[in-house]
Amino acid sequence: MSYLFTIDCNDSWVEDINTHVQTRDTSLVLNGNNFAKITIPRFKKEIVYDTWYYAEFYPTQKPSNDLAKLRAFSDASPEVEKYASNIILNTFNQYALYIPTNLSKQQKDAGYNNLLTNGITIHSLLEGFIIDSTRAANKPRIKFYVNDIVPVISNISPQAGAIDHAIENVFSWSFALPEMTGFVYQLPVEAGAEIEWKLASGGTVHTLTSSQQGRITIPANTFIDGTTIQWRLRVKTDDNIWSAWSDVAAGSWFTLTIGDAALEASNLSPSGQYIDASKPYTFSWDYSSGLGRPQAAYEAQINYDNNPGWVPFFSGTGTAQSYIAPANALTGGGMRWKIRVTNDRGTVSNWSEEAQNRVVARPDTPDITGPDTPAINAIISDISRPTITWQAAGQLAFQLLVLSEDGSTLLYDSGIVNTKVTSYKIPIFLDNGRYVVKVRVMNEFAMYSEYGVVNAFIEADKPSPAKLVASSMPNGVRLSVSEIDNSTTSLIIYRYSDKGYIPVVKLDPGVHSWVDYAGVGLTTYFVRTVAGDLFADSEKVTAIPQIRSSIIATVSALSDVLPLKYLQGDFKTYSGNETYGVVLQQFDGRELPVADFSQGMSRPFTFSATLTEDGQLKKLQSLARQKRTVLYRDNSGRKIFGVINVLPYKEYRGRTDVTITIEETHYSEVISIA
């Protein structure tokens, strides 16, 4: 509160002011009106002489005042000494100087400097119009402001964050007085505080009071765990003057979370990295608690791109903020992980933000499934070409093997099949019995899993086998099939080779015979009756193709042979050599070269012949110019697939001598039976 009052100046006005202020009970004139009984607290108020009227005093008219300590103006100009009036206000030990406005600046400055030189403090200086002396009707008046000293609060704590409801909480602040321009007999002190709080969602406003200075201790369980509150503060002085509420300066109530809402795990590592799963890898996180409580437990979950949900990863108790995943514990591909922590009071944080990574790891071993009996880890099939199915994560390719019952003999190898499909129909026919099936898969990092292994039992009802007859003929063997089962869907003829029995022809529907123009020497055959995915094999038969000399044909037209009946000089002349993939490299400091071997080799075959029939040379040249694979056979049992790359010849006396070189090449006679 602020009071404004004026006092008329007379010969004893200095003493009057002193009396009025000290007795705190006076009749004053305020703006020309009389106000009685204005109470002015003496000790705890700031009194400011804000506006003073000056009066024109002459030396003979200066008020007599024993308390005045007038200074001599020996250095002042006559004009300054004539008009200057020095007044002592003994209550506040301050001087005020009044000088008329008609003095020059130089005259005023001289008077001011004289006062300062003589130790007189200038409290305020006002200039205005001329007023009569203290004995005149228009007496000079002095104007006072008397103000309440309103305390100021600062350094309020806590203004944000979280507090623990289960313990006592101390709210604190700093008490101060404002900057003052007036005078106070005795400064006020802090005498109490008041706090108001409410739920942030609204509701009742609660009040807490404190007689402590700068703090209040709030009992445990005053607030409710898991809520958010707002609070504000004000303090008072010992003369019962209150500060403004803290939200006036702050702009709003302070907001606090009750409980460890700031409990969290953050800065997860690894994040955005490639992880080599073949080695142990450290996972870490930062722990923070709004209450400063220690970590007591942690729990992590993991999710892979090909999984629908989160699964447990690792967990533990204590303050550790890292975990070492063992080698080969992670699945290859995209991976995310997250973690939540628990403090020592049992408060559980929210799940952290997810950290995404790529795991470079060999795929998990595929789980082979099918119509199985789990107790014996086996597939039971009633067909001869079963479909194998498996489960695998991140597959981009696979390889399937079929082995004999004891696993010692490889019966079928699919090779690397580039596909995400996790099933495969075995293309070969398996006889009734027990087999071992293996499957491994490859992922995006070109890494292969371990083989998944399962036993396969074939228990199929076979159709009736057909009858096969083999008969020798020029340059080939005729094969005839009879006694064909009504359920037959196809007939496949197999021939024995250095790689075992191989399928060489699948007869068209309605066709029951075929001539083999690729056999040499005594050759064994059988025919396989196929009824869907069931089969039955005939008895084996043998025959020798009638090859009189050397013959050549392209593999696309084996029946169109070119016989080479006469050999130069009436005897056979053959030559051949093998060139192995060897590169010799010479190095400084070594006397002899170092051999570097490759898997390849070159094997040309050369023989000589005499052509006596018209058109034989042109046909031979045509075979060479077609740049196709040819098959060479002779009655000595030679059989060579290759290409003709050298064909020198010499003509004389109606015959042509040729030297034919065939570069042996890889050629597969096996047909697809899918």
Side-chain angles (χ1 to χ4, degrees):
M1 181 178 294
S2 178
Y3 304 97
L4 172 64
F5 64 95
T6 61
I7 298 178
D8 288 343
C9 295
N10 53 36
D11 287 343
S12 61
W13 67 276
V14 173
E15 289 81 358
D16 289 341
I17 293 175
N18 187 42
T19 300
H20 290 318
V21 173
Q22 291 196 32
T23 61
R24 305 170 60 185
D25 188 4
T26 184
S27 296
L28 303 173
V29 178
L30 177 60
N31 293 335
N33 298 312
N34 290 322
F35 288 82
K37 294 294 184 181
I38 298 287
T39 299
I40 305 172
R42 173 185 177 189
F43 296 105
K44 303 298 192 307
K45 297 295 179 182
E46 176 192 21
I47 303 178
V48 181
Y49 312 103
D50 184 53
T51 303
W52 295 49
Y53 295 113
Y54 68 85
E56 181 181 2
F57 294 114
Y58 294 92
T60 57
Q61 296 175 321
K62 289 181 179 179
S64 59
N65 186 352
D66 294 336
L67 298 176
K69 297 178 181 179
L70 300 178
R71 302 291 184 181
F73 294 99
S74 58
D75 296 331
S77 67
E79 290 299 320
V80 172
E81 186 173 357
K82 175 181 178 182
Y83 294 107
S85 174
N86 297 284
I87 304 173
I88 286 182
L89 302 178
N90 74 317
T91 304
F92 308 105
N93 295 321
Q94 293 290 333
Y95 297 98
L97 171 65
Y98 295 91
I99 300 177
T101 57
N102 58 353
L103 294 182
S104 67
K105 183 178 184 302
Q106 183 178 5
Q107 292 171 326
K108 294 176 184 178
D109 290 343
Y112 303 157
N113 292 334
N114 184 276
L115 290 175
L116 294 172
T117 301
N118 289 277
I120 299 174
T121 302
I122 299 176
H123 175 66
S124 60
L125 175 64
L126 298 169
E127 298 178 352
F129 52 87
I130 300 297
I131 299 179
D132 291 342
S133 70
T134 57
R135 296 184 178 88
N138 297 320
K139 296 179 180 181
R141 292 181 174 183
I142 185 168
K143 185 183 291 185
F144 287 83
Y145 284 99
V146 181
N147 299 322
D148 290 336
I149 301 177
V150 179
V152 178
I153 45 178
S154 61
N155 300 324
I156 303 172
S157 176
Q159 297 187 19
I163 60 174
D164 189 349
H165 75 289
I167 63 174
E168 290 184 343
N169 288 280
V170 175
F171 289 17
S172 62
W173 58 88
S174 295
F175 173 91
L177 297 177
E179 183 179 352
M180 294 176 286
T181 58
F183 308 92
V184 182
Y185 283 91
Q186 180 179 342
L187 292 176
V189 295
E190 183 179 359
E194 186 175 79
I195 286 178
E196 289 186 347
W197 69 273
K198 62 183 179 180
L199 293 176
S201 58
T204 304
V205 176
H206 306 271
T207 302
L208 301 173
T209 59
S210 172
S211 59
Q212 296 175 290
Q213 291 188 345
R215 58 186 287 151
I216 181 173
T217 301
I218 300 176
N221 299 312
T222 297
F223 308 119
I224 301 174
D225 187 30
T227 62
T228 301
I229 68 162
Q230 294 178 324
W231 74 282
R232 64 177 184 171
L233 162 73
R234 67 174 183 171
V235 298
K236 69 176 180 178
T237 63
D238 56 350
D239 60 339
N240 208 40
I241 301 300
W242 288 94
S243 71
W245 285 102
S246 57
D247 59 305
V248 174
S252 62
W253 292 39
F254 304 123
T255 300
L256 300 177
T257 300
I258 310 304
D260 206 352
L263 181 67
E264 67 172 353
S266 59
N267 297 328
L268 275 62
S269 177
S271 178
Q273 299 180 23
Y274 280 86
I275 300 173
D276 184 356
S278 66
K279 303 175 182 178
Y281 208 93
T282 299
F283 290 76
S284 64
W285 61 95
D286 289 344
Y287 169 86
S288 60
S289 165
L291 303 178
R293 308 302 309 182
Q295 175 183 291
Y298 51 88
E299 175 191 6
Q301 291 186 344
I302 196 168
N303 172 261
Y304 295 99
D305 284 350
N306 55 349
N307 279 344
W310 293 88
V311 296
F313 184 19
F314 63 84
S315 61
T317 59
T319 59
Q321 292 173 222
S322 64
Y323 165 79
I324 299 177
N328 300 316
L330 301 174
T331 300
M335 177 273 284
R336 298 177 295 163
W337 74 286
K338 62 182 180 180
I339 192 169
R340 63 182 179 182
V341 291
T342 304
N343 67 15
D344 63 341
R345 291 189 178 276
T347 303
V348 181
S349 73
N350 293 324
W351 286 105
S352 68
E353 293 186 357
E354 301 168 7
Q356 298 189 6
N357 300 277
R358 300 289 293 177
V359 178
V360 181
R362 66 188 308 174
D364 290 338
T365 302
D367 180 17
I368 304 176
T369 59
D372 62 321
T373 305
I376 60 173
N377 185 32
I379 294 175
I380 311 299
S381 177
D382 59 359
I383 58 177
S384 301
R385 295 192 297 179
T387 296
I388 307 300
T389 303
W390 61 92
Q391 295 178 350
Q395 171 188 311
L396 294 183
F398 74 86
Q399 182 179 18
L400 183 145
L401 306 178
V402 180
L403 298 96
S404 59
E405 179 179 355
D406 60 3
S408 62
T409 304
L410 178 63
L411 304 177
Y412 176 75
D413 183 352
S414 70
I416 303 302
V417 181
N418 295 312
T419 180
K420 294 182 180 181
V421 176
T422 55
S423 64
Y424 184 72
K425 182 175 182 178
I426 297 176
I428 65 171
F429 290 93
L430 299 176
D431 209 347
N432 287 348
R434 179 180 175 181
Y435 302 87
V436 176
V437 177
K438 295 183 176 182
V439 178
R440 68 173 180 170
V441 297
M442 184 191 78
N443 63 11
E444 61 180 309
F445 305 110
M447 300 178 74
Y448 288 91
S449 69
E450 297 285 349
Y451 276 104
V453 181
V454 70
N455 294 312
F457 289 88
I458 307 299
E459 300 175 356
D461 292 330
K462 294 188 173 185
S464 298
K467 181 179 180 181
L468 180 65
V469 175
S471 56
S472 178
M473 58 178 292
N475 302 320
V477 174
R478 179 175 295 279
L479 299 158
S480 301
V481 183
S482 61
E483 300 180 12
I484 301 170
D485 190 278
N486 292 331
S487 64
T488 302
T489 55
S490 63
L491 295 169
I492 302 172
I493 294 178
Y494 285 73
R495 182 204 310 134
Y496 186 79
S497 70
D498 57 356
K499 295 181 175 59
Y501 286 96
I502 60 173
V504 292
V505 67
K506 183 177 182 179
L507 299 180
D508 293 331
V511 177
H512 299 152
S513 66
W514 174 71
V515 178
D516 180 19
Y517 288 103
V520 291
L522 182 64
T523 307
T524 304
Y525 303 89
F526 71 83
V527 63
R528 174 165 291 172
T529 298
V530 177
D533 287 319
L534 303 174
F535 79 101
D537 293 337
S538 69
E539 297 290 336
K540 294 179 175 63
V541 296
T542 59
I544 301 175
Q546 300 173 17
I547 300 175
R548 302 293 182 186
S549 59
S550 301
I551 56 176
I552 296 177
T554 63
V555 294
S556 59
L558 290 173
S559 62
D560 186 12
V561 299
L562 173 63
L564 304 173
K565 296 181 180 180
Y566 299 95
L567 300 176
Q568 187 176 11
D570 294 328
F571 63 89
K572 300 176 182 179
T573 302
Y574 302 102
S575 66
N577 65 79
E578 292 185 355
T579 302
Y580 305 103
V582 181
V583 177
L584 300 179
Q585 300 189 37
Q586 196 76 46
F587 294 95
D588 290 342
R590 292 187 179 183
E591 182 178 355
L592 298 176
V594 175
D596 186 8
F597 293 91
S598 66
Q599 294 182 352
M601 63 177 293
S602 173
R603 187 162 59 194
F605 171 73
T606 302
F607 66 96
S608 300
T610 299
L611 306 179
T612 59
E613 298 180 8
D614 293 340
Q616 282 186 311
L617 178 61
K618 289 184 177 180
K619 188 171 183 179
L620 183 60
Q621 290 174 328
S622 176
L623 288 176
R625 291 169 182 170
Q626 289 180 30
K627 298 179 180 180
R628 294 180 179 177
T629 301
V630 299
L631 172 61
Y632 170 87
R633 294 181 293 159
D634 62 31
N635 54 8
S636 296
R638 292 186 180 88
K639 179 179 178 179
I640 299 172
F641 288 99
V643 293
I644 301 174
N645 60 2
V646 178
L647 185 61
Y649 61 91
K650 182 171 65 175
E651 296 179 319
Y652 66 99
R653 296 182 181 181
R655 70 179 191 181
T656 303
D657 292 338
V658 296
T659 301
I660 303 171
T661 298
I662 298 176
E663 184 73 37
E664 189 170 354
T665 60
H666 172 77
Y667 180 80
S668 176
E669 296 181 87
V670 179
I671 66 167
S672 173
I673 60 173

